[in-house]
Amino acid sequence: MQYTGSRYVGEFVDGRMEGSDAEYTLPTETKYVGEMKDGMFHGQGTLYFPSGSRYEAVWEKGLVVEGTYTFSDKLQYDAKHWHYCDGYDRRFFTERCDGLKAPGIAQLTNMDPPRKIPEGCYDCGDGFYNPTTRVVKDYKNRFLRSAGREACCRPDWKSRDC
């Protein structure tokens, strides 16, 4: 695991990750909690994503047998009956749950109230880009990446990389 940057907490059988109480964290901070067999996800297990969403599934030899994806706002994905932001209903999930705002009060994102963007910065989807420092920090103000001088000088940089 030291070679890939992943972390594992759990039992080993014959040098392979195995057990019902396994915890495997990827370098992206995506975390799997559940059963493992022969070094693979096997049995009941959940992938927890840094965004707050999760994928609960039954796994067999590392492959999903069946599962359910739940977004960070508790909206559950249902491929057969998906009615969120489709051609018929363009409301945000929070609007479907809590109702529409009064006329004249716009809701521009699913977050209500929306995230505050620091003065002079841009929301990149995973954090805020500050063009003065050429740095992207996550929403908890932790460093994510630095934008090189060449990248920031291209006119399409923000739309392409941020």
Side-chain angles (χ1 to χ4, degrees), residues 95 100-108 112:
E95 290 176 312
L100 295 171
K101 301 270 183 226
I105 301 174
Q107 183 169 335
L108 302 176
D112 188 35

Side-chain angles (χ1 to χ4, degrees), residues 136-155:
V136 177
K137 291 187 176 181
D138 70 9
Y139 298 123
K140 294 180 181 176
N141 205 32
R142 297 177 300 204
F143 177 84
L144 280 180
R145 62 186 169 276
S146 184
R149 184 169 172 67
E150 305 79 33
C152 294
C153 294
R154 290 194 310 266

Side-chain angles (χ1 to χ4, degrees), residues 32-33 43-47 55-59 63-68:
Y32 172 81
V33 177
Q44 287 289 130
T46 303
L47 280 170
Y55 187 66
E56 299 172 77
V58 175
W59 306 80
L63 301 174
V64 172
V65 175
E66 65 177 295
T68 304

Side-chain angles (χ1 to χ4, degrees), residues 39-108:
M40 295 179 277
F41 302 167
H42 190 83
Q44 287 289 130
T46 303
L47 280 170
Y48 295 94
F49 299 95
S51 65
S53 60
R54 69 183 185 278
Y55 187 66
E56 299 172 77
V58 175
W59 306 80
E60 189 171 321
K61 295 182 181 178
L63 301 174
V64 172
V65 175
E66 65 177 295
T68 304
Y69 184 84
T70 305
F71 294 89
S72 60
D73 62 4
K74 309 294 184 263
L75 174 67
Q76 223 173 52
Y77 178 72
D78 179 354
K80 292 181 184 171
H81 303 100
W82 186 245
H83 300 294
Y84 174 63
C85 281
D86 61 12
Y88 302 105
D89 188 348
R90 303 298 298 170
R91 292 178 293 168
F92 291 109
F93 181 61
T94 52
E95 290 176 312
R96 291 185 65 166
C97 294
D98 304 331
L100 295 171
K101 301 270 183 226
I105 301 174
Q107 183 169 335
L108 302 176

